[in-house]
Amino acid sequence: MPYPRIQIKGRLTSDPEIRYTNSGKALCKLNVACNRKQHNPQTNQWEDKGDPVFLNVNMWGEKGETIAEQTHKGTQVLITGELEPNNWIDQKTGNQVRAFQVNAETVALIPQWQGKNQTPTQGWNDPQDNQAWTQPQTDQWTQPPQNQQPLTGQQDETPPF
């Protein structure tokens, strides 16, 4: 039976930890705190609702190495992956511990927004960095294709599928 797929949004509670297997494959371990928010109409603020949930997240390979380089404690992330049980015996007490971990397929960084103008910070959640993030000067997706030959012949309006 496959494990359930989940999507979580939270903040890293510590810096990522990168390890390597004997064969050289990278494993990035993340600790993420997730909590629900509720809008308070009296204060017009978003407030935490309930206790936070703490999850251990594993990301393998080059993706894991990249995430380890680009994130730090406090970074807000959106993670998609599989939730799987992780059981072990506590060495100190001898009791069986039951927990869950997420095997991540994707980890996306979420920029922190500043005030009313909704400009993300340059440093992806770095409160010390107050420079505004700017769009790259040339965006390949907004520019018309170059060196494209015009279509010749009769144009057919029906899609090719």
Side-chain angles (χ1 to χ4, degrees):
M1 184 169 148
Y3 294 122
R5 293 187 45 75
I6 66 167
Q7 187 174 53
I8 59 174
K9 178 182 172 185
R11 290 192 184 274
L12 299 185
T13 61
S14 61
D15 287 336
E17 180 182 338
I18 190 87
R19 295 181 182 178
Y20 293 90
T21 63
N22 291 338
S23 63
K25 189 170 185 178
L27 169 62
C28 179
K29 294 182 150 297
L30 305 170
N31 299 312
V32 181
C34 309
N35 55 344
R36 292 178 49 193
K37 300 276 188 184
Q38 179 175 327
H39 187 260
N40 183 338
Q42 283 84 24
T43 63
N44 200 27
Q45 298 290 321
W46 287 92
E47 299 172 351
D48 292 342
K49 180 180 179 183
D51 293 329
V53 173
F54 297 94
L55 291 168
N56 296 322
V57 177
N58 296 327
M59 181 155 230
W60 291 89
E62 289 181 23
K63 290 180 183 179
E65 290 176 316
T66 301
I67 290 301
E69 292 171 2
Q70 294 181 355
T71 60
H72 54 83
K73 179 179 179 178
T75 302
Q76 192 173 14
V77 292
L78 180 65
I79 299 171
T80 304
E82 290 184 339
L83 183 67
E84 79 173 22
N86 186 14
N87 303 320
W88 69 91
I89 303 294
D90 186 338
Q91 298 296 326
K92 293 181 183 176
T93 64
N95 295 333
Q96 183 173 353
V97 179
R98 303 193 80 182
F100 290 93
Q101 67 184 19
V102 176
N103 288 321
E105 292 176 12
T106 61
V107 176
L109 307 179
I110 301 173
Q112 180 178 353
W113 301 99
Q114 300 178 26
K116 295 179 182 178
N117 65 357
Q118 299 295 297
T119 304
T121 62
Q122 181 76 17
W124 296 97
N125 298 325
D126 185 356
Q128 309 303 327
D129 189 356
N130 292 323
Q131 296 177 356
W133 179 82
T134 58
Q135 183 74 11
Q137 296 298 326
T138 58
D139 184 358
Q140 68 178 5
W141 303 108
T142 59
Q143 302 299 319
Q146 295 178 1
N147 300 330
Q148 185 175 358
Q149 298 297 323
L151 295 174
T152 59
Q154 184 175 2
Q155 300 296 319
D156 188 2
E157 293 296 323
T158 59
F161 46 164

